[in-house]
Amino acid sequence: MRIEARALRMAGRLSPSDFAAGEGELIGLVGPNGSGKTSFLRGLAGITGEADRLCIDGEPLCSLPPAARAHRIAYLPASRLLEWPIPVSRVLRLSPSPVEEDSVERMVAHLELEPLLDRPSNALSTGERGRVLLGRALALEPSVLLLDEPLANLDPYWVLKVTDLLEDAAAGGTTIIAALHDLALVGRFGRLLLMREGQIIADGKSEKVANEPLFAATFRLHGAAPSWTL
Ligand SMILES: Nc1ncnc2c1ncn2[C@@H]1O[C@H](COP(=O)(O)OP(=O)(O)OP(=O)(O)O)[C@@H](O)[C@H]1O
């Protein structure tokens, strides 16, 4: 297994949860506001919470030194905060260990970051910062990529472009878990995790999970994918 968590938990936020994902899985993480998606991602990243077991490629995450960890697991927080006037070109290379130049250049091309490279990163729009931070995470070529709402604040072109990029990264072997709110996009994710009140209540093929009555009920919606109503 690429990533494996046993009894991952966070008091008051995440009930003990077991989870495992293999190489190249593209997983959508959905649930209403406050259902625990961010808590789950932060737990998997080893930032907060506890687990009986939390391993990447069979190795306990806590045993990996920072330089190795950066290439095993990358986490994109939902906040997109960049408070310092660090040029974008440097943000793309921020890492405890050297980042492959080819990889940075590929991200600059895919995410069309060339015009932003000399700009201070705290003077970008939210969507632009999102693209820069996603580019930084992908440039590390991590085994596992944890993305908190990677498609938020992006215009329609970039929603489709970034979704394609995530599909390509998964096809190349990266395991991706991305929290999403846009239910119209869940079909692009092969596997879907549905959360409610700090628990994973459904986990399976996206088309199956999204069409179960539990899915619409969890979001307090009626009907079926992709035509839900209030
Ligand atoms: N720092 C915190 N301390 C205590 N409780 C928190 C903290 N952050 C979030 N919570 C609570 O934990 C629960 C899960 O929150 P979480 O942010 O994981 O949900 P989410 O599914 O990511 O929500 P959203 O869709 O609104 O981003 C919520 O009840 C929330 O109020």
Side-chain angles (χ1 to χ4, degrees):
M1 276 295 148
R2 224 339 126 61
I3 180 163
E4 197 187 346
R6 197 178 309 140
L8 183 66
R9 56 197 182 270
M10 219 173 281
R13 296 173 60 177
L14 183 67
S15 302
S17 306
D18 295 337
F19 171 76
E23 188 175 320
E25 286 198 64
L26 181 56
I27 303 171
L29 176 63
V30 295
N33 287 137
S35 57
K37 302 178 296 295
T38 295
S39 305
F40 182 64
L41 292 176
R42 288 175 67 84
L44 286 180
I47 298 168
T48 32
E50 294 171 87
D52 289 354
R53 180 179 161 84
L54 179 57
C55 290
I56 309 281
D57 295 326
E59 284 184 72
L61 187 59
C62 62
S63 73
L64 296 171
R69 190 189 277 221
H71 293 282
R72 290 288 185 88
I73 191 159
Y75 168 62
L76 174 74
S79 66
R80 314 283 190 272
L81 278 180
L82 281 167
E83 300 284 14
W84 294 294
I86 307 171
V88 166
S89 56
R90 286 188 55 200
V91 171
L92 290 169
R93 293 167 176 83
L94 281 179
S95 165
S97 64
V99 184
E100 293 285 333
E101 273 310 303
D102 283 0
S103 181
V104 173
E105 279 165 27
R106 258 199 316 280
M107 284 308 123
V108 169
H110 284 315
L111 291 162
E112 299 174 24
L113 299 174
E114 188 72 45
L116 305 180
L117 288 177
D118 296 329
R119 299 259 310 269
S121 51
N122 62 341
L124 301 178
S125 78
T126 314
E128 289 168 342
R129 281 199 309 274
R131 266 157 57 208
V132 170
L133 289 171
L134 179 67
R136 178 193 166 257
L138 281 165
L140 291 164
E141 301 187 329
S143 302
V144 177
L145 194 50
L146 305 170
L147 305 172
D148 204 343
E149 301 190 30
L151 306 174
N153 306 114
L154 297 180
D155 68 42
Y157 172 88
W158 282 110
V159 167
L160 296 177
K161 192 90 194 248
V162 167
T163 308
D164 283 356
L165 197 56
L166 298 184
E167 277 180 348
D168 290 348
T174 306
T175 300
I176 301 177
I177 305 152
L180 306 168
H181 275 300
D182 187 348
L183 299 185
L185 291 166
V186 297
R188 300 283 299 270
F189 292 74
R191 177 175 164 193
L192 211 54
L193 298 181
L194 175 63
M195 295 198 71
R196 186 175 64 193
E197 295 172 3
Q199 292 191 47
I200 298 169
I201 58 167
D203 176 2
K205 282 191 188 307
S206 165
E207 62 268 28
K208 183 169 182 297
V209 172
N211 285 298
E212 281 168 1
L214 175 69
F215 189 84
T218 300
F219 286 101
R220 299 190 292 162
L221 295 172
H222 295 97
S227 318
W228 293 282
T229 55
L230 285 176

